[in-house]
Amino acid sequence: MDMSKLLLVEDEPDIGALLAEFLAREGFDVRVLPDGKQVTQTIDGWRPDLMVLDIMLPGEDGLSICRRVRQQSAIPIIMLTAKSADAEKIVGLESGADDYLGKPFNPRELLARIRAQLRRSAMAGVAEGSIRRKRCGEVIIDLDGRSAATVDGLGLGLTTAEFDLLACLIERPRRVLSRDQLLDWTRGRRADPYDRTIDVTVSRLRGKLQQAAPQVAAAITTVRNGGYLLQLSVEDAS
Protein backbone atom coordinates (compact mmCIF):
# COMPACT_ATOMS: atom_id res chain seq x y z
CA MET A 1 0.00 0.00 0.00
CA ASP A 2 3.02 2.29 0.32
CA MET A 3 3.24 4.95 -2.38
CA SER A 4 -0.25 4.21 -3.66
CA LYS A 5 -1.38 7.03 -5.93
CA LEU A 6 -4.29 9.13 -4.71
CA LEU A 7 -6.22 11.63 -6.82
CA LEU A 8 -7.89 14.32 -4.72
CA VAL A 9 -10.51 16.50 -6.43
CA GLU A 10 -11.08 19.45 -4.11
CA ASP A 11 -11.74 23.08 -5.08
CA GLU A 12 -10.79 24.66 -1.74
CA PRO A 13 -7.02 25.24 -2.01
CA ASP A 14 -6.37 25.22 1.75
CA ILE A 15 -8.19 21.94 2.30
CA GLY A 16 -6.56 20.38 -0.75
CA ALA A 17 -3.08 21.42 0.34
CA LEU A 18 -3.56 20.25 3.94
CA LEU A 19 -4.95 16.87 2.89
CA ALA A 20 -2.22 16.38 0.29
CA GLU A 21 0.48 17.14 2.85
CA PHE A 22 -1.11 14.84 5.45
CA LEU A 23 -1.52 11.94 3.02
CA ALA A 24 1.99 12.42 1.64
CA ARG A 25 3.36 12.08 5.17
CA GLU A 26 1.48 8.77 5.37
CA GLY A 27 3.38 7.48 2.35
CA PHE A 28 0.99 8.26 -0.52
CA ASP A 29 1.69 9.93 -3.85
CA VAL A 30 -1.01 12.62 -4.09
CA ARG A 31 -2.23 14.82 -6.90
CA VAL A 32 -4.84 17.53 -6.38
CA LEU A 33 -7.26 18.83 -9.01
CA PRO A 34 -9.50 21.87 -8.37
CA ASP A 35 -12.34 20.66 -10.62
CA GLY A 36 -13.35 17.88 -12.97
CA LYS A 37 -11.78 19.18 -16.18
CA GLN A 38 -8.64 17.02 -16.00
CA VAL A 39 -10.04 14.01 -14.14
CA THR A 40 -10.41 11.70 -17.14
CA GLN A 41 -7.01 12.64 -18.54
CA THR A 42 -5.34 12.14 -15.14
CA ILE A 43 -6.95 8.73 -14.59
CA ASP A 44 -5.95 7.58 -18.08
CA GLY A 45 -2.39 8.89 -17.89
CA TRP A 46 -1.41 8.70 -14.23
CA ARG A 47 -3.44 5.63 -13.23
CA PRO A 48 -4.27 6.56 -9.62
CA ASP A 49 -5.21 3.78 -7.21
CA LEU A 50 -8.05 5.72 -5.58
CA MET A 51 -9.91 9.01 -5.96
CA VAL A 52 -11.24 11.25 -3.20
CA LEU A 53 -13.97 13.38 -4.78
CA ASP A 54 -15.83 16.35 -3.33
CA ILE A 55 -19.46 16.73 -4.38
CA MET A 56 -19.46 20.54 -4.36
CA LEU A 57 -17.20 21.64 -7.19
CA PRO A 58 -17.25 24.54 -9.64
CA GLY A 59 -18.65 23.63 -13.03
CA GLU A 60 -19.31 19.89 -13.21
CA ASP A 61 -20.27 18.60 -9.77
CA GLY A 62 -18.84 15.52 -8.08
CA LEU A 63 -21.88 13.35 -8.77
CA SER A 64 -21.61 13.94 -12.51
CA ILE A 65 -17.84 13.32 -12.42
CA CYS A 66 -18.41 10.08 -10.50
CA ARG A 67 -20.92 8.81 -13.06
CA ARG A 68 -18.59 9.74 -15.91
CA VAL A 69 -15.59 8.01 -14.33
CA ARG A 70 -17.65 4.88 -13.67
CA GLN A 71 -18.27 4.50 -17.40
CA GLN A 72 -14.57 3.85 -17.95
CA SER A 73 -12.99 2.81 -14.66
CA ALA A 74 -13.57 0.74 -11.50
CA ILE A 75 -11.18 2.94 -9.47
CA PRO A 76 -12.30 3.13 -5.80
CA ILE A 77 -14.01 6.46 -5.14
CA ILE A 78 -14.54 8.04 -1.73
CA MET A 79 -16.99 10.93 -1.94
CA LEU A 80 -16.92 13.91 0.41
CA THR A 81 -20.41 15.16 1.25
CA ALA A 82 -22.13 17.73 3.43
CA LYS A 83 -22.38 16.15 6.88
CA SER A 84 -26.15 16.53 7.23
CA ALA A 85 -27.13 15.71 3.65
CA ASP A 86 -28.13 12.03 3.76
CA ALA A 87 -29.68 12.38 0.31
CA GLU A 88 -26.27 13.36 -1.09
CA LYS A 89 -24.71 10.23 0.38
CA ILE A 90 -27.38 8.01 -1.19
CA VAL A 91 -27.13 9.69 -4.58
CA GLY A 92 -23.33 9.47 -4.38
CA LEU A 93 -23.48 5.72 -3.85
CA GLU A 94 -26.00 5.36 -6.65
CA SER A 95 -23.62 7.31 -8.89
CA GLY A 96 -20.89 4.73 -8.31
CA ALA A 97 -19.00 5.88 -5.20
CA ASP A 98 -17.60 3.14 -2.97
CA ASP A 99 -17.75 5.09 0.29
CA TYR A 100 -18.61 8.53 1.59
CA LEU A 101 -17.43 10.85 4.35
CA GLY A 102 -19.28 13.88 5.68
CA LYS A 103 -17.63 17.26 6.11
CA PRO A 104 -16.12 18.33 8.42
CA PHE A 105 -14.13 15.16 9.04
CA ASN A 106 -11.05 13.96 10.88
CA PRO A 107 -8.22 13.34 8.38
CA ARG A 108 -7.44 10.14 10.29
CA GLU A 109 -10.88 8.80 9.43
CA LEU A 110 -10.33 9.60 5.76
CA LEU A 111 -6.96 7.84 5.97
CA ALA A 112 -8.60 4.75 7.48
CA ARG A 113 -11.24 4.66 4.75
CA ILE A 114 -8.61 5.09 2.04
CA ARG A 115 -6.58 2.20 3.40
CA ALA A 116 -9.67 0.02 3.70
CA GLN A 117 -10.63 0.65 0.06
CA LEU A 118 -7.08 0.01 -1.12
CA ARG A 119 -6.96 -3.28 0.76
CA ARG A 120 -10.17 -4.39 -0.88
CA SER A 121 -9.10 -3.42 -4.37
CA ALA A 122 -5.58 -4.82 -4.15
CA MET A 123 -4.82 -7.91 -6.18
CA ALA A 124 -4.19 -10.91 -3.95
CA GLY A 125 -0.64 -12.20 -4.39
CA VAL A 126 -1.34 -15.89 -4.26
CA ALA A 127 0.13 -18.83 -6.11
CA GLU A 128 -1.68 -19.75 -9.30
CA GLY A 129 -2.68 -23.15 -7.96
CA SER A 130 -4.43 -21.67 -4.94
CA ILE A 131 -6.62 -19.13 -6.71
CA ARG A 132 -10.23 -19.46 -5.56
CA ARG A 133 -12.68 -19.35 -8.45
CA LYS A 134 -16.39 -19.94 -8.01
CA ARG A 135 -19.27 -20.37 -10.42
CA CYS A 136 -22.79 -19.18 -9.68
CA GLY A 137 -25.20 -19.51 -12.56
CA GLU A 138 -23.78 -17.59 -15.52
CA VAL A 139 -21.09 -15.87 -13.41
CA ILE A 140 -17.48 -16.86 -12.69
CA ILE A 141 -15.94 -14.95 -9.78
CA ASP A 142 -12.22 -15.02 -8.94
CA LEU A 143 -12.20 -14.24 -5.24
CA ASP A 144 -8.44 -13.77 -5.00
CA GLY A 145 -7.91 -12.03 -8.32
CA ARG A 146 -10.97 -9.86 -7.58
CA SER A 147 -12.62 -10.20 -10.97
CA ALA A 148 -16.07 -11.27 -12.08
CA ALA A 149 -17.23 -12.23 -15.56
CA THR A 150 -19.82 -14.31 -17.36
CA VAL A 151 -19.00 -17.85 -18.46
CA ASP A 152 -18.53 -16.36 -21.93
CA GLY A 153 -15.79 -14.06 -20.64
CA LEU A 154 -17.78 -10.81 -20.49
CA GLY A 155 -16.46 -8.68 -17.60
CA LEU A 156 -19.11 -7.27 -15.28
CA GLY A 157 -17.28 -3.99 -14.58
CA LEU A 158 -18.01 -4.06 -10.85
CA THR A 159 -16.83 -1.37 -8.48
CA THR A 160 -14.94 -2.32 -5.32
CA ALA A 161 -18.10 -2.13 -3.20
CA GLU A 162 -20.13 -4.15 -5.70
CA PHE A 163 -17.46 -6.86 -5.93
CA ASP A 164 -17.16 -7.08 -2.14
CA LEU A 165 -20.91 -7.50 -1.82
CA LEU A 166 -21.07 -10.16 -4.53
CA ALA A 167 -18.16 -12.01 -2.91
CA CYS A 168 -20.00 -12.06 0.44
CA LEU A 169 -23.06 -13.56 -1.20
CA ILE A 170 -21.05 -16.06 -3.25
CA GLU A 171 -19.19 -17.27 -0.16
CA ARG A 172 -22.45 -17.69 1.80
CA PRO A 173 -25.09 -18.96 -0.66
CA ARG A 174 -28.63 -19.83 0.50
CA ARG A 175 -28.07 -17.97 3.75
CA VAL A 176 -29.86 -14.80 4.85
CA LEU A 177 -27.31 -12.05 5.45
CA SER A 178 -28.41 -8.99 7.41
CA ARG A 179 -27.58 -5.47 6.32
CA ASP A 180 -25.43 -5.02 9.42
CA GLN A 181 -23.45 -8.17 8.59
CA LEU A 182 -22.93 -7.12 4.97
CA LEU A 183 -21.90 -3.61 5.97
CA ASP A 184 -19.46 -4.93 8.55
CA TRP A 185 -17.92 -7.48 6.16
CA THR A 186 -17.67 -5.16 3.17
CA ARG A 187 -16.86 -1.84 4.85
CA GLY A 188 -15.60 -2.73 8.30
CA ARG A 189 -18.17 -0.72 10.21
CA ARG A 190 -21.62 -1.13 11.67
CA ALA A 191 -24.71 0.48 10.16
CA ASP A 192 -26.85 3.06 11.88
CA PRO A 193 -30.64 2.44 11.73
CA TYR A 194 -31.00 4.60 8.60
CA ASP A 195 -27.89 3.54 6.69
CA ARG A 196 -28.87 2.61 3.12
CA THR A 197 -25.37 1.84 1.87
CA ILE A 198 -26.00 -1.87 1.35
CA ASP A 199 -29.42 -1.33 -0.24
CA VAL A 200 -27.94 1.06 -2.78
CA THR A 201 -25.02 -1.27 -3.55
CA VAL A 202 -27.37 -4.26 -3.98
CA SER A 203 -29.47 -2.21 -6.41
CA ARG A 204 -26.39 -1.28 -8.45
CA LEU A 205 -25.11 -4.87 -8.43
CA ARG A 206 -28.47 -6.24 -9.57
CA GLY A 207 -28.57 -3.69 -12.37
CA LYS A 208 -25.20 -4.76 -13.74
CA LEU A 209 -25.98 -8.45 -13.35
CA GLN A 210 -29.35 -8.04 -15.06
CA GLN A 211 -27.64 -7.09 -18.30
CA ALA A 212 -25.10 -9.94 -18.35
CA ALA A 213 -26.35 -12.61 -15.94
CA PRO A 214 -30.09 -12.20 -15.32
CA GLN A 215 -30.38 -15.55 -13.55
CA VAL A 216 -27.96 -14.41 -10.85
CA ALA A 217 -29.58 -10.97 -10.62
CA ALA A 218 -32.97 -12.59 -9.96
CA ALA A 219 -31.44 -14.93 -7.38
CA ILE A 220 -30.33 -12.05 -5.12
CA THR A 221 -33.55 -11.63 -3.17
CA THR A 222 -34.64 -9.30 -0.41
CA VAL A 223 -35.80 -10.94 2.81
CA ARG A 224 -38.19 -8.68 4.67
CA ASN A 225 -36.80 -7.66 8.07
CA GLY A 226 -33.90 -9.99 7.37
CA GLY A 227 -31.51 -8.77 4.70
CA TYR A 228 -30.45 -10.42 1.45
CA LEU A 229 -30.21 -13.98 0.20
CA LEU A 230 -28.47 -15.60 -2.80
CA GLN A 231 -30.81 -18.40 -3.85
CA LEU A 232 -28.47 -20.14 -6.29
CA SER A 233 -25.95 -22.88 -5.58
CA VAL A 234 -22.25 -22.08 -5.86
CA GLU A 235 -19.58 -24.51 -7.05
CA ASP A 236 -15.84 -24.44 -7.65
CA ALA A 237 -14.88 -23.28 -11.13
CA SER A 238 -12.04 -24.89 -13.05
Side-chain angles (χ1 to χ4, degrees), residues 89-146:
K89 299 173 184 177
I90 294 169
V91 174
L93 291 168
E94 290 175 338
S95 298
D98 295 287
D99 201 358
Y100 57 81
L101 186 60
K103 286 184 172 181
F105 56 85
N106 186 322
R108 286 285 170 188
E109 182 176 0
L110 175 61
L111 175 64
R113 290 175 185 261
I114 288 172
R115 286 176 169 163
Q117 289 298 326
L118 289 174
R119 282 195 298 270
R120 294 186 182 107
S121 64
M123 296 292 288
V126 297
E128 182 177 351
S130 63
I131 290 177
R132 297 176 300 151
R133 299 176 74 245
K134 301 291 183 179
R135 175 169 179 171
C136 179
E138 315 105 303
V139 171
I140 302 292
I141 180 168
D142 181 347
L143 294 168
D144 292 316
R146 297 188 61 83

Side-chain angles (χ1 to χ4, degrees), residues 40-122:
T40 299
Q41 180 179 343
T42 303
I43 290 176
D44 288 343
W46 191 49
R47 302 283 183 182
D49 299 295
L50 181 144
M51 178 165 66
V52 178
L53 176 63
D54 195 359
I55 282 186
M56 301 300 294
L57 293 169
E60 185 180 16
D61 64 34
L63 295 173
S64 175
I65 294 170
C66 186
R67 286 190 290 267
R68 177 160 58 84
V69 168
R70 274 291 167 257
Q71 294 176 0
Q72 69 176 57
S73 173
I75 179 177
I77 298 174
I78 298 176
M79 186 157 280
L80 304 180
T81 71
K83 184 174 183 179
S84 61
D86 290 336
E88 279 191 349
K89 299 173 184 177
I90 294 169
V91 174
L93 291 168
E94 290 175 338
S95 298
D98 295 287
D99 201 358
Y100 57 81
L101 186 60
K103 286 184 172 181
F105 56 85
N106 186 322
R108 286 285 170 188
E109 182 176 0
L110 175 61
L111 175 64
R113 290 175 185 261
I114 288 172
R115 286 176 169 163
Q117 289 298 326
L118 289 174
R119 282 195 298 270
R120 294 186 182 107
S121 64

Side-chain angles (χ1 to χ4, degrees), residues 130-225:
S130 63
I131 290 177
R132 297 176 300 151
R133 299 176 74 245
K134 301 291 183 179
R135 175 169 179 171
C136 179
E138 315 105 303
V139 171
I140 302 292
I141 180 168
D142 181 347
L143 294 168
D144 292 316
R146 297 188 61 83
S147 64
T150 66
V151 292
D152 297 325
L154 176 64
L156 300 182
L158 303 182
T159 66
T160 300
E162 292 160 1
F163 180 90
D164 287 342
L165 178 60
L166 179 60
C168 280
L169 295 169
I170 290 286
E171 291 182 304
R172 302 166 182 87
R174 302 186 182 278
R175 172 180 163 188
V176 178
L177 305 178
S178 73
R179 290 170 176 81
D180 282 3
Q181 286 176 316
L182 290 169
L183 191 64
D184 190 42
W185 288 332
T186 60
R187 295 177 182 270
R189 59 188 178 89
R190 292 289 181 181
D192 63 50
Y194 304 103
D195 197 316
R196 288 190 55 199
T197 301
I198 291 299
D199 300 315
V200 172
T201 308
V202 167
S203 177
R204 284 167 32 197
L205 176 61
R206 281 174 174 158
K208 291 184 178 180
L209 288 171
Q210 184 61 45
Q211 301 178 35
Q215 180 187 11
V216 180
I220 300 175
T221 59
T222 304
V223 179
R224 185 168 182 173
N225 298 322

